[in-house]
Amino acid sequence: MIERGAKEKNHLLYKPYSNGRIIVFSWKYLFKRSTEFELSDIFYFARRGVESIMDDEVTKRFSAEELESWNLLTRSNYNFHYISLRLTVLWGLGLLIRYGFLLPLRVTLAFTGVGLLVFLTSVVGLLPNGRMKNFLSEKVHLMCYRICVRALTAIITYHDSENKPKNGGICVANHTSPIDVIILASDGCYAMVGQIHGGLMGVIQRSMVKACPHIWFERSEVKDRHLVAKRLSDHVEDKSKLPILIFPEGTCINNTSVMMFKKGSFEIGATVYPVAIKYDPRFGDAFWNSSKFGMVSYLLRMMSSWAIVCSVWYLPPMSREEGEDAVQFANRVKAAIARQGGLVDLLWDGGLKRAKVKDTFKEEQQKLYSKMLVGTQEDRSRS
């Protein structure tokens, strides 16, 4: 006889308790512990496994978002331009406009913006520290970033500008693409944080740091959490320095969700200014699939798109509450960004883009399934 208040579903017995907890018992455990194994015992778990494969909420965040309609870009659908002669003609005209007119113009603007950034920041860096140097540095950075934004034909809508990050704070945002930096920096100046590179990127970094106190780390220093935290803490304590721009996800996500924020930037204790960035993929997909495209090929794809359309929301500043640890604070900020940007809030680590699932996560799922099969020690004692 089934206990009052219990409900049967899929050969499992669900027993709700007054404290809101629901205990799941297996019919096989309650009534047929002495019977032999039956094939139907695995149906529930097989169904859950197939559902997880068909609707994987993690790995699909690392590939480009699917469009409901074709935007006349071959990269979004390789078959639509063969549907009819009219579509083929429109696609061909679009190809001619994008690669024959827009791409050369945008490449010229990009080289102009980067060249001016390197030259002018190097000149400003020769000036003595003071108000004049800071003023010129901000104007130079804004001008050059806005030229680079024009090179992408970026159409940006900024919301709630009264909440823009202020000096001595940390700006955190969801991360979709390397161009997130110039999207935000074209509306305000930030201190960048990153690893020192070689080549052209290294030249740009060395010239930028002469005019503005950016935070660059050597490759050997990046893994030293205490050193990184010390450098960040020293920067935010000086209220005359620009706010730090950080992307706590640590990798690019396809702008449909926000994944786990690394807790490092939330341990410092500074005021956090959340920013939500949402791109419109109908005119050009800004997501950078770094495992598939290099930086140069990615930028060429961006410059040969119709446009980069996005909205940026500046959220009210947030501070760590009493009794709240860094992980809880990071999750609260992440939830606010996801809610404002209309993104899915996921607890998974973006590091799964290149790494395997940790054994601890597998063990947690195994424990959940074992409880469904045999229950906990407390459940067995009650039965």
Side-chain angles (χ1 to χ4, degrees):
M1 184 175 182
I2 300 177
E3 184 180 355
R4 180 177 298 177
K7 296 181 180 180
E8 178 189 2
K9 183 180 180 182
N10 296 332
H11 300 287
L12 299 175
L13 189 64
Y14 293 76
K15 175 65 175 70
Y17 286 90
S18 59
N19 60 1
R21 187 167 165 233
I22 297 178
I23 302 300
V24 185
F25 300 93
S26 171
W27 274 107
K28 307 304 178 184
Y29 175 74
L30 290 175
F31 301 107
K32 297 184 179 181
R33 276 179 284 181
S34 60
T35 60
E36 296 180 357
F37 169 79
E38 295 183 9
L39 184 61
S40 61
D41 294 346
I42 68 171
F43 285 174
Y44 172 77
F45 302 100
R47 179 172 62 85
R48 289 297 300 271
V50 172
E51 288 176 351
S52 299
I53 296 173
M54 295 297 293
D55 188 23
D56 181 6
E57 64 177 8
V58 179
T59 56
K60 67 181 181 182
R61 311 296 176 180
F62 305 137
S63 57
E65 179 183 4
E66 295 183 9
L67 297 179
E68 296 181 359
S69 59
W70 188 39
N71 58 1
L72 295 179
L73 294 177
T74 311
R75 70 202 60 164
S76 58
N77 195 300
Y78 287 89
N79 300 314
F80 278 178
H81 59 280
Y82 298 118
I83 291 178
S84 68
L85 178 61
R86 181 180 300 177
L87 269 182
T88 302
V89 171
L90 289 175
W91 170 78
L93 288 175
L95 190 70
L96 181 63
I97 293 171
R98 289 187 292 110
Y99 284 92
F101 175 70
L102 294 179
L103 181 59
L105 179 61
R106 290 168 176 173
V107 170
T108 302
L109 285 173
F111 275 104
T112 301
V114 174
L116 285 175
L117 180 65
V118 172
F119 175 72
L120 293 178
T121 50
S122 299
V123 172
V124 172
L126 299 175
L127 299 175
N129 294 331
R131 288 186 177 182
M132 180 57 69
K133 181 178 180 179
N134 294 337
F135 174 79
L136 291 177
S137 175
E138 290 186 14
K139 294 302 179 184
V140 166
H141 279 86
L142 283 174
M143 180 188 69
C144 296
Y145 283 128
R146 287 172 180 174
I147 293 175
C148 292
V149 163
R150 300 297 184 273
L152 299 170
T153 315
I155 303 171
I156 314 168
T157 304
Y158 297 98
H159 305 270
D160 305 320
S161 295
E162 65 274 11
N163 296 324
K164 287 175 63 173
K166 296 179 174 56
N167 290 0
I170 297 177
C171 174
V172 298
N174 56 301
H175 198 24
T176 304
S177 159
I179 68 173
D180 293 339
V181 174
I182 63 173
I183 293 293
L184 294 177
S186 62
D187 191 46
C189 292
Y190 297 90
M192 309 298 177
V193 178
Q195 179 179 308
I196 296 176
H197 295 274
L200 176 61
M201 184 61 70
V203 173
I204 297 173
Q205 287 180 318
R206 288 191 294 272
S207 61
M208 288 173 61
V209 79
K210 293 177 183 177
C212 181
H214 298 289
I215 306 174
W216 307 129
F217 295 97
E218 296 287 351
R219 182 181 297 272
S220 59
E221 298 175 334
V222 173
K223 296 183 179 180
D224 190 338
R225 289 184 54 197
H226 297 289
L227 177 61
V228 173
K230 180 67 167 56
R231 293 276 300 276
L232 296 178
S233 180
D234 292 342
H235 183 99
V236 298
E237 286 177 0
D238 188 347
K239 301 304 179 183
S240 65
K241 292 184 178 180
L242 296 173
I244 299 174
L245 177 59
I246 295 178
F247 301 101
E249 287 171 296
T251 190
C252 294
I253 311 299
N254 69 356
N255 207 227
T256 60
S257 64
V258 184
M259 304 191 79
M260 186 182 77
F261 279 6
K262 304 294 190 296
K263 66 178 183 178
S265 55
F266 299 91
E267 294 177 324
I268 300 173
T271 301
V272 171
Y273 295 86
V275 176
I277 306 174
K278 179 63 177 177
Y279 291 92
D280 188 341
R282 292 177 297 176
F283 301 93
D285 188 7
F287 169 62
W288 182 33
N289 188 346
S290 56
S291 60
K292 190 175 181 181
F293 302 104
M295 177 62 74
V296 175
S297 60
Y298 165 76
L299 291 176
L300 288 176
R301 288 168 64 88
M302 291 299 95
M303 293 180 187
S304 60
S305 297
W306 294 112
I308 301 298
V309 181
C310 73
S311 295
V312 176
W313 288 272
Y314 296 108
L315 279 64
M318 303 174 69
S319 300
R320 191 166 165 180
E321 297 177 348
E322 185 178 353
E324 187 178 44
D325 59 27
V327 174
Q328 293 170 332
F329 184 28
N331 288 334
R332 183 160 60 90
V333 173
K334 177 168 68 75
I337 292 175
R339 185 166 53 250
Q340 182 62 71
L343 307 170
V344 180
D345 185 3
L346 297 177
L347 296 175
W348 292 96
D349 186 359
L352 293 173
K353 187 176 184 178
R354 296 180 179 85
K356 295 182 179 180
V357 179
K358 295 181 180 179
D359 292 336
T360 54
F361 287 113
K362 295 180 181 179
E363 291 173 0
E364 288 179 4
Q365 295 299 317
Q366 291 169 351
K367 289 178 182 178
L368 289 174
Y369 283 122
S370 66
K371 289 179 181 178
M372 294 176 65
L373 284 172
V374 299
T376 61
Q377 184 65 36
E378 178 184 355
D379 300 333
R380 291 195 294 271
S381 63
R382 286 181 179 179
S383 63

